[in-house]
Amino acid sequence: MATAPADPPFEFFALRVLRTDRVSPGFARVTLGGDLTRFASGGRAQRFKLFLPRPGQDTPLVPREAGTDWWPAWQRLAPEERAVMRTYTVRDHRPDAGELDIDFVLHDIAGPASGWARDARPGDPLTILGPNRADNGGVDFRPPPDTDWVLVTGDATALPAVAGILAWLPPGTRATVWIEADHAADLQELPTEADAEITWLFRDRLPHAIRRAALLAAVRDSAFPPGTPYAWLAGEAGAVRDLRRHLVNERAVDRRRITHTGYWRRGASEEDLLAEAVATEATA
Ligand SMILES: Cc1cc2nc3c(=O)[nH]c(=O)nc-3n(C[C@H](O)[C@H](O)[C@H](O)COP(=O)(O)OP(=O)(O)OC[C@H]3O[C@@H](n4cnc5c(N)ncnc54)[C@H](O)[C@@H]3O)c2cc1C
């Protein structure tokens, strides 16, 4: 039987809520603390898995000692007992203070994670499966060396990643960024040393007819800078798919220069998406 490497790049961190902040109508920032000494964010769009306790549980049930084998170990746990698992992004990591911020979109369809964030109180427990080295597979913003300019698009769920990408980009990097959010009050300062042109699209200011395709319409109507781009697209799965098609079919962007991720899908919970992925893998 294969054994897990002694030093896997991810591990479980049992944490607690230190404080919460309603940063804007659409977002709750939850600051977590605990033993984060081994936590090492790669910056940019650093993703991780978040595990929430089920009602009546003191702490989330996860296969803590499993290392790289956590996934099969997780699947063996009883679905009604194992923690609720979701995927989120590091908004900020302050190693000196031992603090980690997550920005949760407070979407209006009841979901365990957004509901948890809305009601979170200091002391509430949660566990994350996060990186223990900065160079890890949970960072997917990786422009090839010959990139002349960077195109970034995302909805509110991708805003923490977009913030991380902008903070990371080397000084002077040419970047064109579109962000879609619900309300003008959701606008955030996004510090960067890049030469970035950032455009916000606020859904409450858009006509109903184009709300679902606002990012696509904005990108479609824009003139691209000269040179070779690298594109990073994240947000609702259908919107991301349409944007990628536009770049490949109408702008002739090499598909190998596009990183695209559906962060959520209309009408499907993360369990639904995971079940679909597992079924696809099983039939492949
Ligand atoms: C790599 C990655 C990084 C992510 N980072 C973040 C992050 O930093 N912050 C963040 O807020 N989200 C982030 N997301 C998205 C988040 O994981 C999903 O929105 C997730 O579905 C929320 O879980 P939930 O329990 O609230 O809703 P679920 O139980 O998963 O879904 C319940 C219902 O809500 C709908 N729904 C889910 N999300 C939204 C939404 N944003 N708007 C409207 N309806 C929605 C679903 O379609 C479903 O009908 C990330 C996703 C990925 C894959």
Side-chain angles (χ1 to χ4, degrees), residues 178 201 210 212-222 243 246 251:
W178 278 276
L201 304 167
I210 68 152
R212 286 202 178 176
L215 277 171
L216 177 62
V219 173
R220 186 174 267 153
D221 288 349
S222 70
L243 274 160
H246 167 67
R251 302 288 192 140

Side-chain angles (χ1 to χ4, degrees), residues 108-282:
D108 49 9
I109 304 168
S114 62
W116 177 88
R118 182 175 277 127
D119 299 336
R121 296 280 174 275
D124 287 353
L126 95 173
T127 295
I128 66 172
L129 179 68
N132 55 28
R133 66 191 68 150
D135 187 7
N136 66 76
V139 177
D140 67 1
F141 181 87
R142 295 182 184 268
D146 60 344
T147 299
D148 293 316
W149 65 281
V150 167
L151 169 69
V152 173
T153 73
D155 68 11
T157 60
L159 183 53
V162 174
I165 288 169
L166 281 166
W168 177 88
L169 280 174
T173 308
R174 185 153 193 190
T176 303
V177 180
W178 278 276
I179 303 165
E180 184 189 279
D182 279 346
H183 318 282
D186 290 328
L187 186 144
Q188 295 181 14
E189 287 300 315
L190 299 171
T192 183
E193 292 186 31
D195 176 11
E197 186 181 312
I198 303 173
T199 307
W200 289 79
L201 304 167
F202 299 113
R203 291 163 61 85
D204 61 356
R205 293 186 179 173
L206 297 169
H208 266 284
I210 68 152
R211 278 190 188 173
R212 286 202 178 176
L215 277 171
L216 177 62
V219 173
R220 186 174 267 153
D221 288 349
S222 70
F224 281 3
T228 306
Y230 165 71
W232 185 92
L233 321 171
E236 199 281 323
V240 168
R241 181 201 57 216
D242 293 347
L243 274 160
R244 179 173 176 274
R245 277 188 191 152
H246 167 67
L247 295 182
V248 172
N249 297 334
E250 294 165 45
R251 302 288 192 140
V253 177
D254 182 339
R255 61 185 73 229
R256 290 166 303 187
R257 305 187 71 91
I258 305 175
T259 302
H260 60 105
T261 313
Y263 271 19
W264 62 284
R265 196 202 294 160
R266 211 171 294 286
S269 70
E270 196 164 322
E271 278 89 17
D272 297 333
L273 298 177
L274 209 52
E276 215 176 270
V278 169
T280 308
E281 204 174 294

